[in-house]
Amino acid sequence: MEAYLTEWLALLVRWIHVIAGVAWIGASFYFIWLDNHLREPPEWKQQKGIKGDLWAIHGGGFYEIAKYRYGPERMPEQLHWFKWEAYSTLLSGMALLFVVYYLGSPGYLVDPAKADLATGTAMAIGLGGIALVLALYEALIRSPLANSGRLFGLVFFLILILADWAYFQWFSGRGAFIHVGATIGTVMVANVFLGIIPSQKALVATVRANREPDARVKRLADLAKLRSTHNNYLTLPILFIMISNHYPSLYGHPHGWAILAAIGFITAFARHYFNLRHRGIRKPSILVASAVMGLALVWVLAPTPASDAPAASAPVSDSTVRRIVQTHCLGCHARHPSQPGFQAPPAGIVLEQPAQWLSHKAQILQAAVATQYMPLGNLTGMTEQERRQLGQWLNQTH
């Protein structure tokens, strides 16, 4: 019953996390798009303090959107704030981190071949890493380095790569991926909480007091815009990480940290094309370069075809493979799993009979032989010889 209820809890939290993330990232995309599409308004609008405006059509009607240089003459009675999307994404993401990785199956987070960590130690490393990267980011964005966009981006990217590599030294590939995502997401929410919202509160207080914004308010506004831009570039990498736990060929790779770093760069670079295009600057070479880098990554990671593998010796018997599957697979992939934390076989894959092994041949080869991600955290101690035997049996005349 505990495993059953935990599975429902994880599903509910993941669902909330996705909904909150869609709302937040959608708002981020929209407001960056909106800000880049604002055009200089007519003179009579400028006299009212309007900096830029935009006309749009949607939902069967026209919309006129205006952005004031500082604020309207009178504060409106109802003002919409965009912050709870970010906060709910962080809270649900942290809840998911605890339910699935810290309190769920230990194989999702810990890989004994890397470090045999107790739950408390793993939590301390994960949460400590997130806090450390956040502290470094805050120190950087409050420093003169923030005035140099490219140099700031390079330094912060190197910090993320270092964190990415460090997580892979301690955690399983899947656990490392999710901690990189949690780190980036925490930085993004901190940008809202520590920068964007305080700037907006200062601006609202200035307008309500019927004062002109002073140097402090203007500085806060400029920094808030910079934080918002940083968040925009981080959206595609974090969206990738949110769906990556379905693809063990990436996080299960021996160099998974480098793969994640490459994907993060490629997706953020592709986002740059759209940000420029919204401002009327068209550079399709950016998308072409992103596509070429993406295809190159796919080519580099391609597994060795079975025909290119070293010639096998004696055929592997069915009884040998049955022993391997019973020892290392059936704890999870049975109709009624015996592994704690599993109410049903993962992905609905049952491996109790040879016909079922063959019907899931591609998945087994990928997860247990090529990437060696399965069994989770290798809790059963599957050897290299057993992986070779399993792969050989699946490829020999089957």
Side-chain angles (χ1 to χ4, degrees):
M1 180 59 71
E2 181 181 351
Y4 175 73
L5 294 177
T6 300
E7 187 173 275
W8 270 104
L9 177 61
L11 174 60
L12 179 62
V13 174
R14 190 183 301 274
W15 185 41
I16 294 173
H17 184 54
V18 170
I19 293 172
V22 167
W24 181 24
I25 292 175
S28 172
F29 281 1
Y30 173 71
F31 277 104
I32 291 292
W33 175 91
L34 177 62
D35 212 45
N36 287 332
H37 278 81
L38 292 173
R39 297 296 178 259
E40 185 176 338
E43 181 65 28
W44 66 271
K45 286 189 176 182
Q46 295 185 35
Q47 292 176 359
K48 295 179 60 178
I50 295 177
K51 177 182 179 181
D53 66 352
L54 170 78
W55 284 88
I57 185 168
H58 185 72
F62 290 93
Y63 293 81
E64 181 185 10
I65 304 166
K67 180 179 180 179
Y68 284 81
R69 189 171 303 278
Y70 297 121
E73 296 179 359
R74 294 179 55 189
M75 180 60 60
E77 293 183 4
Q78 188 172 22
L79 186 63
H80 295 281
W81 295 72
F82 290 84
K83 58 182 179 179
W84 292 111
E85 297 89 344
Y87 299 161
S88 56
T89 300
L90 177 66
L91 293 174
S92 58
M94 283 298 175
L96 193 62
L97 187 64
F98 273 82
V99 170
V100 176
Y101 293 89
Y102 293 160
L103 304 179
S105 173
Y108 285 145
L109 178 62
V110 176
D111 184 350
K114 296 180 180 179
D116 194 5
L117 302 173
T119 300
T121 304
M123 288 174 57
I125 293 172
L127 297 177
I130 294 171
L132 177 59
V133 173
L134 175 59
L136 291 173
Y137 176 85
E138 284 300 314
L140 289 175
I141 202 167
R142 297 167 190 264
S143 74
L145 187 65
N147 298 322
S148 176
R150 291 184 179 180
L151 184 57
F152 182 96
L154 175 62
V155 172
F156 184 55
F157 182 56
L158 291 176
I159 290 174
L160 288 178
I161 291 178
L162 181 59
D164 177 18
W165 175 84
Y167 287 139
F168 264 85
Q169 308 314 303
W170 291 102
F171 299 143
S172 69
R174 180 171 173 175
F177 262 50
I178 205 65
H179 274 83
V180 174
T183 300
I184 295 174
T186 301
V187 168
M188 293 173 68
V189 175
N191 275 333
V192 176
F193 183 74
L194 299 176
I196 296 173
I197 295 302
S199 168
Q200 293 174 349
K201 288 182 176 180
L203 184 58
V204 167
T206 299
V207 174
R208 280 180 174 160
N210 197 25
R211 299 193 310 263
E212 284 292 321
D214 57 20
R216 171 181 168 275
V217 173
K218 293 178 181 179
R219 185 172 62 254
L220 286 174
D222 290 340
L223 193 55
K225 177 65 182 298
L226 180 61
R227 288 178 182 268
S228 180
T229 301
H230 289 175
N231 278 2
N232 184 262
Y233 279 99
L234 293 172
T235 51
L236 294 187
I238 203 169
L239 279 174
F240 170 83
I241 294 173
M242 287 177 71
I243 64 172
S244 65
N245 60 2
H246 297 287
Y247 301 95
S249 61
L250 299 179
Y251 59 74
H253 194 279
H255 301 293
W257 68 270
I259 296 171
L260 183 55
I263 292 173
F265 175 81
I266 293 169
T267 53
F269 188 50
R271 184 65 203 158
H272 185 55
Y273 164 79
F274 293 99
N275 288 340
L276 290 178
R277 185 176 182 276
H278 296 334
R279 289 157 47 194
I281 303 172
R282 298 179 181 273
K283 289 190 175 181
S285 59
I286 294 177
L287 277 187
V288 173
S290 299
V292 170
M293 287 187 289
L295 291 173
L297 183 64
V298 172
W299 179 77
V300 168
L301 298 178
T304 302
S307 58
D308 296 341
S313 52
V316 178
S317 66
D318 293 358
S319 60
T320 297
V321 174
R322 182 177 292 279
R323 176 188 59 78
I324 293 173
V325 172
Q326 288 176 340
T327 303
H328 303 293
C329 306
L330 289 187
C332 299
H333 291 284
R335 284 175 293 178
H336 303 289
S338 59
Q339 177 68 27
F342 288 92
Q343 173 68 19
I349 296 177
V350 176
L351 301 176
E352 295 177 337
Q353 301 297 329
Q356 295 168 327
W357 310 342
L358 293 176
S359 65
H360 296 291
K361 171 182 175 180
Q363 294 98 319
I364 296 174
L365 286 172
Q366 184 69 7
V369 181
T371 66
Q372 300 191 7
Y373 178 69
M374 291 293 176
L376 281 174
N378 201 18
L379 296 176
T380 59
M382 190 174 188
T383 66
E384 289 289 338
Q385 180 182 5
E386 289 174 321
R387 295 183 191 278
R388 287 196 300 270
Q389 290 174 327
L390 178 60
Q392 182 181 334
W393 185 88
L394 289 170
N395 284 318
Q396 68 186 23
T397 66
H398 292 294

